[in-house]
Amino acid sequence: MSNLKPEEFRITDQALGIWTLKKGAEVLDIGCGQGETVEYLEKEYGYKARGIDLSKAMIKRGLARNPKLNIRYGDGEFLDGFLSYSFDGVMMENVLSLIGLPDEALHEAYCVLKKGGKLFIGDLFIKDPDTELLKAVEIEAQKQQSMPHPEDGCGSEHSEEECGFGEHTEECEECSDCDDCSDCGGCGEGESESERAEEHRYRAVNFRSNGRFLMTPLLKQLKEIGYTNIAWEDCSVELDDVTVKRIRAGTSEGRLCKETLNPPIDKYKTGYFMLTAKKPL
């Protein structure tokens, strides 16, 4: 995802300055692409960084460039490959807007964070959305709310006490058949990437529209999940014109979500935000 990163790692550094994690902290980069950020976190901050991405081709290229990178195939919606309380930090740069079930991805991140762990999101948002848009998005989200969610591939029982979506366990019945899910495509042996992508429904939520976030509903969603110390900043000035055009055209390393395949005319002033939050102690 690095080609969508405004001004290289300037926003990343800004967020990590807020995190103030110690050297050796365990950090997960969701949507890691070829692992450039994972590599940067290890070299510049001394973190024990890991990354996951839905593109096996990107993972393969990253490992060809640097075989020591700890990156693998993985889905931000289903972090059942990791135990609860595994990470001091979770990053989602330019990826949450592409995830089919962003509310579940935020819950999953909360589950795998340690108590006191930090979340960092960098993505697009709609500046000054009008009331009609907010209402329309809310209505569509409510219509789809009754639709069944994809089953949790891990099959683990969930504990409402900690994360609302479930305690991740060491045992994963459906994943026990393969030691390295990066080789078989996350226990979907024989399935192509396109077939896997078709399984990921792009569900409407009240905090996202046309691949861009609505900040007030997003902040409310994070609070409902349990995050605290939520702070965000408009970093639109960091975007360069070429990057904006590529994002608005829905180009993201060949990974196009359904909302961006035929993007509408940008009637809204699209901005870029940086957000940090904390899992309570």
Side-chain angles (χ1 to χ4, degrees), residues 116-134:
K118 309 293 180 60
L119 173 71
F120 162 42
I121 301 172
D123 222 311
L124 300 176
F125 77 106
I126 296 176
K127 293 187 175 184
D128 302 318
D130 59 41
T131 304
E132 290 184 6
L133 172 65
L134 292 170

Side-chain angles (χ1 to χ4, degrees), residues 5-208:
K5 191 187 298 294
E7 296 298 322
E8 298 182 347
F9 293 101
R10 285 169 58 180
I11 293 177
T12 309
D13 288 331
Q14 190 174 344
L16 298 182
I18 297 172
W19 274 13
T20 62
L21 296 179
K22 296 180 180 179
K23 186 176 180 179
E26 300 271 359
V27 176
L28 176 64
D29 182 19
I30 297 175
C32 67
Q34 297 186 43
E36 294 97 331
T37 297
V38 169
E39 188 172 39
Y40 182 76
L41 296 178
E42 292 175 341
K43 290 183 177 180
E44 299 298 324
Y45 290 89
Y47 295 161
K48 294 179 181 178
R50 285 183 269 181
I52 59 171
D53 200 281
L54 277 175
S55 172
K56 288 184 280 184
M58 295 285 283
I59 296 296
K60 185 176 181 180
R61 287 200 290 271
L63 291 174
R65 181 178 57 83
N66 183 352
K68 294 182 179 181
L69 287 174
N70 192 346
I71 59 176
R72 56 174 287 177
Y73 180 94
D75 187 345
E77 295 174 11
F78 308 106
L79 298 179
D80 41 78
F82 303 105
L83 297 176
S84 291
Y85 316 113
S86 294
F87 297 100
D88 299 288
V90 172
M91 306 179 64
M92 298 184 189
E93 285 192 90
N94 311 302
V95 67
L96 191 61
S97 55
L98 303 175
I99 287 179
L101 307 172
D103 48 346
E104 294 193 10
L106 292 170
H107 275 94
E108 289 289 286
Y110 189 88
C111 287
V112 300
L113 279 171
K114 298 176 184 178
K115 291 182 178 180
K118 309 293 180 60
L119 173 71
F120 162 42
I121 301 172
D123 222 311
L124 300 176
F125 77 106
I126 296 176
K127 293 187 175 184
D128 302 318
D130 59 41
T131 304
E132 290 184 6
L133 172 65
L134 292 170
K135 284 184 179 179
V137 173
E138 177 69 31
I139 291 171
E140 183 59 29
Q142 289 177 354
K143 283 173 57 179
Q144 295 192 23
Q145 217 170 31
S146 60
M147 295 173 62
H149 292 195
E151 294 182 0
D152 186 342
C154 186
S156 60
E157 294 184 4
H158 298 302
S159 167
E160 292 184 2
E161 181 180 353
E162 274 305 324
C163 64
F165 262 56
E167 183 86 12
H168 293 268
T169 62
E170 258 183 280
E171 296 181 359
C172 176
E173 294 179 2
E174 293 191 20
C175 291
S176 60
D177 294 333
C178 56
D179 294 327
D180 186 357
C181 288
S182 63
D183 292 332
C184 71
C187 303
E189 189 169 6
E191 293 180 342
S192 68
E193 248 180 79
S194 59
E195 288 172 331
R196 288 277 296 167
E198 282 299 313
E199 295 176 3
H200 291 266
R201 184 171 64 248
Y202 199 76
R203 188 180 68 222
V205 290
N206 70 346
F207 55 85
R208 183 178 66 184

